[in-house]
Amino acid sequence: MNIINSIINDFSEDEKREFISYLKKKNRRGDVKNLTLFKAISLGKAIETAEKIYGKSSKNAFHALCNRLQNNLIDFVASKSFSSETSEEMEIMKLLLASRIFFEHKNNKVAFKTLLKAEKKALELDLYSILNEIYTTKIQYAHLNSNLVLSEIFEDSEKNALNFQRKFQLNMAYASIKNKIKFEKGNPASEIITQVFSDFNIEIAETLTYKSLFQLMNLTSTAAKLQSDYNNISTLMEDIYGILKNKKTILAEKHLFYHIEILHLMAVASFRNKQFKKSEDFIAQMEDEMLKRNRIYFKLFQEKLTLIKAMNLNYTGRANEAIGLLEKFKGNSAEMSLSLCTFLFQQHRFNEAYQIFKEFSHSDIWFEKKNGWIWVLKKSIIEILILIELDKLDLVFSRLNSFKRKFNKRLKEIGEERVLTFMGFVNNYYENPKMITSEKFKNKVETSFVWIGAEREDIFVMSFYAWLKSKMEKKNLYETTLELVM
């Protein structure tokens, strides 16, 4: 039942309607118990469904029904994914499958032509695992084509096997990096990556494929996000980007999806390091790339583009433009909503911010699964600050206690006790607002935080501190924020 709930919770309202239609078409008889069960679970009434469906407990029948519904859900997700998949990899897989069908039907000329097309596309994209299947098929039917030289196919296959092994080694290195980032909390991401690559005798150089370099950059950025330390990885990100730029322009065209992702990662890293002009340059390049190939990826990246645009606008003194941009966005995005909530909060529009906040209808567990625990952490902090500004006494203390239970251990594990210190001061302020302007309180704040310098400090860390500083100095929150980050 947990698996069923998990799958259904991921469905949008449109997907739920699609699944109901899918079930109706699949049901061969008048039995609609699976539909009844699905609708009940969607409404959160799964506990009572056994009795409602069968009129009695009937555990075995209910268990079998749950299994059938689970299998139908998995089939629906798989078929929907396959039918909507438009990536180059899937197109090549379809060509390979088609060639094998042609061979089975003795249509050899078309089969070899289709297989050759698949091979050419796979070579362009360095798809070694798919190429392995292509060469296996080619070897199997080589005797049907006198123009093929078997020794050349063997040579191509062996060369591909070496490339596949190299790629597999890279995957092991990536897995090791992820593991170390998770469990070796004190070590900076750049040091971990450099050490692991050294252990695997891998050099960060042009010999790495376009996709491999993207994976490395994405991994580096993810680690920086978890550690709230984009400054430490900036040199490594620039090095990887430099290698990517030196590769042929044609590769960026062929790997358009990854190229857009790379530009977004660079835009975000530049923004987090308060290099706003550089971030805006990457945003402009990203938008240009999104328009290519008849805007095939525009919709996919529109949310990311809008969000990073709004971030740069807000932190360069153009808050109203940033708010307007987010308000115009069509779509249900928790990331966008939280950013809009934050921007409104910085403009002292607390009631509006709180109204948006109340629209977060899912649990923190659900949001963590979708957006990560760092996002949930930021959401919890901004909620407490909004509640303080609105003077909702009971809710403030409730949320502060909940914050300690949820995040104390995790924050200590990654060495971010500063957040706990900050929340302690937040609590002190709410209990005694007058004390915050005293010299004693200011001195305590100054000596309690370990700062790494304005240029190196993360922009979001500074944004939260700006709230405390604005209270101590009796200044406007947004103006204080800009003073700190610009």
Side-chain angles (χ1 to χ4, degrees):
M1 187 64 77
N2 287 337
I3 294 174
I4 294 174
N5 277 309
S6 177
I7 296 171
I8 294 174
N9 286 339
D10 282 341
F11 280 6
S12 65
E13 290 304 315
D14 285 341
E15 286 170 329
K16 286 179 182 178
R17 285 190 288 270
E18 284 179 43
F19 181 70
I20 289 171
S21 298
Y22 173 84
L23 269 187
K24 285 179 179 177
K25 289 176 184 176
K26 196 166 184 179
N27 286 345
R28 296 180 180 177
R29 49 199 174 103
D31 183 4
V32 291
K33 290 185 176 65
N34 50 10
L35 273 171
T36 305
L37 178 59
F38 173 77
K39 289 176 181 177
I41 295 173
S42 296
L43 296 170
K45 299 178 181 177
I47 299 171
E48 307 171 48
T49 50
E51 287 73 15
K52 282 189 176 181
I53 291 173
Y54 295 102
K56 54 183 179 180
S57 181
S58 195
K59 290 183 179 179
N60 290 338
F62 184 64
H63 179 70
L65 179 63
C66 287
N67 281 339
R68 289 199 301 276
L69 179 59
Q70 181 176 308
N71 289 334
N72 283 327
L73 284 164
I74 293 169
D75 288 344
F76 170 74
V77 171
S79 61
K80 189 173 186 292
S81 174
F82 189 84
S83 64
S84 62
E85 181 60 67
T86 58
S87 72
E88 288 95 338
E89 292 183 35
M90 187 58 70
E91 290 302 316
I92 294 166
M93 287 297 292
K94 289 175 182 176
L95 287 171
L96 173 59
L97 179 60
S99 73
R100 288 175 173 172
I101 293 170
F102 290 140
F103 278 126
E104 288 173 7
H105 290 87
K106 312 299 181 186
N107 199 344
N108 299 329
K109 187 175 180 180
V110 178
F112 278 114
K113 186 177 180 180
T114 307
L115 192 62
L116 182 63
K117 188 176 180 181
E119 182 184 0
K120 185 179 178 182
K121 284 179 174 288
L123 282 167
E124 288 173 352
L125 298 173
D126 303 316
L127 302 175
Y128 306 126
S129 59
I130 297 177
L131 278 166
N132 184 56
E133 293 297 319
I134 289 170
Y135 289 131
T136 299
T137 305
K138 207 172 183 181
I139 290 167
Q140 182 181 351
Y141 295 102
H143 65 283
L144 299 174
N145 190 338
S146 59
N147 293 323
L148 294 178
V149 180
L150 199 58
S151 60
E152 291 179 359
I153 303 175
F154 289 163
E155 187 179 337
D156 289 340
S157 181
E158 287 168 359
K159 182 182 176 182
N160 182 69
L162 289 173
N163 287 331
F164 180 82
Q165 182 58 37
R166 194 177 294 117
K167 178 69 183 296
F168 190 72
Q169 190 180 31
L170 269 171
N171 287 338
M172 288 193 291
Y174 293 148
S176 298
I177 291 166
K178 288 177 184 176
N179 193 61
K180 286 179 179 291
I181 286 169
K182 184 176 180 180
F183 295 107
E184 297 180 13
K185 307 293 183 182
N187 292 344
S190 58
E191 291 181 17
I192 290 173
I193 291 166
T194 303
Q195 183 58 54
V196 169
F197 268 53
S198 175
D199 292 343
F200 280 88
N201 296 313
I202 300 170
E203 186 180 357
I204 302 174
E206 289 194 34
T207 51
L208 295 179
T209 65
Y210 202 93
K211 186 176 178 181
S212 294
L213 287 164
F214 159 72
Q215 287 177 303
L216 180 58
M217 182 181 278
N218 190 42
L219 191 59
T220 304
S221 180
T222 301
K225 185 177 181 180
L226 288 171
Q227 297 176 346
S228 294
D229 187 1
Y230 276 82
N231 181 267
N232 183 268
I233 56 94
S234 60
T235 301
L236 181 58
M237 291 279 281
E238 290 287 352
D239 289 345
I240 298 169
Y241 184 69
I243 294 169
L244 285 162
K245 278 186 73 176
N246 287 335
K247 286 183 173 286
K248 294 178 181 178
T249 307
I250 193 171
L251 285 176
E253 292 292 331
K254 288 175 180 174
H255 295 277
L256 183 59
F257 175 86
Y258 295 119
H259 187 46
I260 297 169
E261 283 277 25
I262 286 161
L263 291 170
H264 176 255
L265 290 173
M266 292 302 294
V268 170
S270 300
F271 165 76
R272 293 291 290 265
N273 283 318
K274 301 175 291 295
Q275 298 170 327
F276 302 116
K277 178 63 173 67
K278 183 184 283 190
S279 181
E280 287 171 357
D281 288 343
F282 281 119
I283 289 168
Q285 293 178 56
M286 179 183 172
E287 194 161 14
D288 286 343
E289 295 301 306
M290 286 166 60
L291 296 173
K292 291 182 177 178
R293 291 195 204 167
N294 295 320
R295 300 161 64 101
I296 185 173
Y297 295 121
F298 192 88
K299 190 174 180 181
L300 186 64
F301 286 98
Q302 190 174 13
E303 181 183 325
K304 287 183 177 180
L305 177 72
T306 304
L307 187 58
I308 190 61
K309 265 188 179 181
M311 288 290 180
N312 275 279
L313 286 169
N314 186 68
Y315 286 93
T316 52
R318 295 169 285 177
N320 289 335
E321 288 181 59
I323 290 168
L325 189 64
L326 293 183
E327 287 178 333
K328 287 177 189 173
F329 182 78
K330 306 292 183 186
N332 185 22
S333 165
E335 193 81 49
M336 303 283 258
S337 294
L338 186 61
S339 296
L340 178 57
C341 190
T342 303
F343 297 168
L344 290 169
F345 173 79
Q346 289 173 337
Q347 297 303 314
H348 296 244
R349 293 162 65 176
F350 305 125
N351 281 309
E352 291 173 70
Y354 190 50
Q355 288 306 312
I356 292 171
F357 204 95
K358 288 194 290 186
E359 292 174 9
F360 291 127
S361 56
H362 294 288
S363 68
D364 281 352
I365 294 172
W366 188 91
F367 278 123
E368 182 172 343
K369 181 181 174 184
K370 290 287 185 182
N371 301 83
W373 82 273
I374 295 295
W375 185 90
V376 176
L377 173 71
K378 288 193 290 185
K379 170 180 166 288
S380 298
I381 294 173
I382 196 68
E383 180 188 17
I384 290 168
L385 298 184
I386 290 171
L387 291 171
I388 286 174
E389 294 292 358
L390 295 174
D391 198 23
K392 294 184 179 292
L393 178 65
D394 292 340
L395 287 175
V396 171
F397 288 119
S398 169
R399 296 297 188 272
L400 282 168
N401 290 330
S402 175
F403 185 92
K404 290 175 187 176
R405 289 195 305 272
K406 286 181 184 177
F407 300 112
N408 268 26
K409 184 179 178 182
R410 278 183 166 181
L411 288 166
K412 287 176 181 177
E413 282 177 351
I414 63 171
E416 273 295 350
E417 283 87 353
R418 290 186 306 176
V419 179
L420 299 174
T421 303
F422 171 78
M423 294 308 292
F425 285 127
V426 169
N427 187 67
N428 292 340
Y429 165 75
Y430 193 62
E431 289 179 339
N432 187 3
K434 292 181 180 179
M435 70 179 291
I436 200 168
T437 55
S438 69
E439 286 301 316
K440 183 180 179 181
F441 186 85
K442 290 179 184 177
N443 291 333
K444 188 176 180 182
V445 170
E446 290 299 321
T447 56
S448 295
F449 291 109
V450 179
W451 300 109
I452 57 175
E455 288 186 4
R456 295 172 58 203
E457 192 62 75
D458 183 75
I459 192 168
F460 289 147
V461 172
M462 298 179 85
S463 294
F464 285 120
Y465 174 69
W467 179 83
L468 192 62
K469 187 176 175 67
S470 71
K471 294 296 181 186
M472 291 190 295
E473 298 180 356
K474 293 185 176 180
K475 285 185 176 181
N476 175 276
L477 172 57
Y478 186 59
E479 290 173 6
T480 305
T481 304
L482 294 184
E483 285 174 11
L484 285 173
V485 304
M486 290 184 74

